[in-house]
């Protein structure tokens, strides 16, 4: 990756810095649209949005922030949280591990020899196993529980994009094969088509870039949505969710990401990346051109620049202070009414 853009007074003006990054990377047109789900090829390669939502409810954003797109794999972290809430950590750990694989997200699984578990909940195998844990008497009840959960994180009602759901259902043979393999080993029960439908529906949830940043801010704020004050997930599950995001959230780029950017994150093949600066803010970038790992090309550039400039890498101890917190404390959101500054 090239040298990060630098701004002399970036620490005190987050909005200006977001604008600069947007201007700088809008012309970058490397990468490909995801095409294995036919509906995703309808995306405009120029779409590009950056959103920051702070834990005290301020919003900074630039670009196509109202453009709707399907959440895809980013749904996996929230469904993992719901599985933890439904069953507790020990039971979930029996069904899906927490070990990074270094494999592509859709790799045909290597189930653990003894436990038969998929490695982690962020690859498709682990995510399908996680989805199979969602409780509810009927498929409609289970879908409604998921939609309610997502709307608590986002702060408004949410919908499934039916064409994308049907598009993935019609072409998702690889995921079907993964599910059958897990059925063979008794890791999921025989209602495979119901589980796969729910998995495709969660992936086809419609969101905007601001929605993703709000969801990330909710995780950063111990499960409490900072824009609505609603508790989206019990705070006791946040540590587990952020841990698997940190080690497994960016697929076979997860190690590089942890090294370069250094905060828990999750990406999806429609071009979203969401990341959590614990106790401070949620950040999201949406731009659908993807690199070979399936991560947004513009998204990676933006996050690397933000991390270097604001020093929010979890292990960036060199400054002895967090420039991101200082930047947020000094910044005033253009669309926000006065709110208390972030505590030092
Ligand atoms: N629905 C997609 C799939 O299962 C999600 C993949 C992704 O976003 N990486 O293939």
């Amino acid at each position: 990756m090239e040298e990060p853009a630098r701004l002399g007074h970036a620490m005190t003006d987050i909005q200006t810095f977001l604008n600069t990054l947007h201007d700088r990377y809008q012309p970058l047109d490397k990468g490909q649209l995801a095409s294995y789900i036919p509906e995703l090829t309808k995306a405009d390669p120029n779409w590009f949005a950056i959103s920051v939502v702070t834990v005290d409810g301020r919003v900074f954003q630039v670009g196509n922030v109202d453009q709707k797109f399907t959440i895809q794999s980013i749904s996996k972290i929230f469904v993992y949280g719901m599985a933890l809430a439904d069953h507790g950590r020990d039971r979930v750990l029996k069904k899906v591990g927490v070990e990074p694989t270094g494999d592509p997200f859709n790799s045909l699984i290597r189930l653990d020899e003894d436990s038969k578990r998929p490695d982690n909940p962020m690859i498709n195998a682990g995510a399908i196993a996680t989805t199979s844990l969602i409780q509810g008497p009927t498929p409609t009840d289970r879908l409604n529980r998921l939609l309610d959960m997502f709307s608590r994180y986002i702060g408004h009602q949410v919908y499934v994009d039916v064409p994308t759901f049907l598009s993935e259902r019609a072409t998702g043979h690889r995921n079907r094969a993964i599910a059958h393999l897990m059925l063979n080993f008794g890791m999921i029960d025989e209602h495979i088509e119901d589980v796969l439908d729910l998995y495709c529906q969660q992936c086809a949830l419609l969101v905007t870039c601001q929605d993703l940043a709000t969801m990330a801010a909710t995780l950063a704020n111990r499960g409490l949505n900072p824009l609505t004050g609603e508790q989206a997930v019990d705070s006791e599950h946040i540590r587990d969710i952020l841990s698997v995001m940190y080690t497994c959230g960016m697929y076979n780029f997860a190690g590089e990401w942890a090294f370069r950017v250094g905060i828990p994150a999750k990406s999806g093949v429609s071009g979203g990346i969401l990341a959590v600066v614990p106790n401070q803010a949620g950040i999201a970038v949406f731009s659908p051109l993807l690199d070979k790992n399936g991560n947004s090309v513009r998204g990676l550039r933006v996050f690397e620049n933000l991390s270097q400039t604001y020093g929010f890498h979890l292990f960036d101890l060199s400054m002895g202070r967090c420039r991101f917190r200082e930047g947020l404390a000094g910044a005033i959101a253009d669309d926000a009414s006065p709110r208390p500054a972030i505590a030092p």
Side-chain angles (χ1 to χ4, degrees), residues 36-37 72-73 105 124 168 175 199 203 251 268-269:
Y36 73 99
I37 301 174
Q72 296 301 332
S73 276
F105 66 85
N124 287 2
E168 182 165 11
N175 285 339
Y199 172 76
C203 289
Y251 305 120
V269 286

Side-chain angles (χ1 to χ4, degrees), residues 34 36-37 40 70-76 104-106 122-125 127-128 164 168 172 174-175 178 199-204 249 251 266-272 290 293-295:
Y36 73 99
I37 301 174
L40 295 182
T70 56
I71 190 168
Q72 296 301 332
S73 276
I74 298 174
S75 63
K76 293 170 180 174
F105 66 85
N106 59 359
M122 304 289 116
I123 50 167
N124 287 2
I128 293 166
T164 307
E168 182 165 11
R174 210 179 162 94
N175 285 339
I178 289 171
Y199 172 76
C200 295
Q201 285 161 340
Q202 77 181 54
C203 289
Y251 305 120
K266 184 75 198 82
S267 67
V269 286
S270 51
L290 307 179
N293 298 317
N295 294 321

Side-chain angles (χ1 to χ4, degrees), residues 74-237:
I74 298 174
S75 63
K76 293 170 180 174
I77 54 183
F78 302 99
V79 178
Y80 185 59
M82 189 162 213
L84 289 169
D86 278 1
H87 299 277
R89 178 197 278 161
D90 291 345
R91 173 117 204 281
V92 173
L93 275 176
K94 288 204 170 77
K95 295 286 178 185
V96 51
V98 289
E99 202 58 40
T101 62
D103 289 338
F105 66 85
N106 59 359
S107 69
L108 290 171
I109 37 175
R110 308 166 293 146
L111 294 173
D112 182 85
E113 245 171 63
D114 300 323
S115 70
K116 308 290 186 236
R117 296 178 309 177
D119 291 295
N120 69 68
M122 304 289 116
I123 50 167
N124 287 2
I128 293 166
T130 306
T131 299
S132 78
L133 293 173
I134 297 309
Q135 292 197 313
T138 67
T140 309
D141 291 314
R142 294 191 282 274
L143 174 62
N144 284 337
R145 287 193 69 228
L146 282 191
L147 293 178
D148 286 348
M149 178 268 292
F150 282 117
S151 65
R152 287 196 299 277
Y153 277 99
I154 293 175
H156 58 75
Q157 260 205 311
V158 291
Y159 303 94
V160 168
D161 184 55
V162 175
T164 307
F165 160 55
L166 295 176
S167 181
E168 182 165 11
R169 181 162 72 167
T171 56
H173 308 301
R174 210 179 162 94
N175 285 339
R176 197 159 280 115
I178 289 171
H180 276 277
L181 202 53
M182 289 196 292
L183 172 62
N184 177 63
F185 286 108
M187 295 311 284
I188 57 177
D189 70 22
E190 70 277 13
H191 301 110
I192 281 196
E193 291 303 323
D194 288 347
V195 172
L196 286 168
D197 276 0
L198 189 57
Y199 172 76
C200 295
Q201 285 161 340
Q202 77 181 54
C203 289
L205 188 89
L206 279 171
V207 291
T208 65
C209 192
Q210 181 179 340
D211 291 339
L212 288 186
T214 308
M215 297 167 96
T218 301
L219 293 174
N221 198 32
R222 292 166 229 177
L224 189 79
N225 182 323
L227 300 184
T228 63
E230 195 176 3
Q231 193 74 36
V233 60
D234 202 294
S235 60
E236 73 177 282
H237 304 303

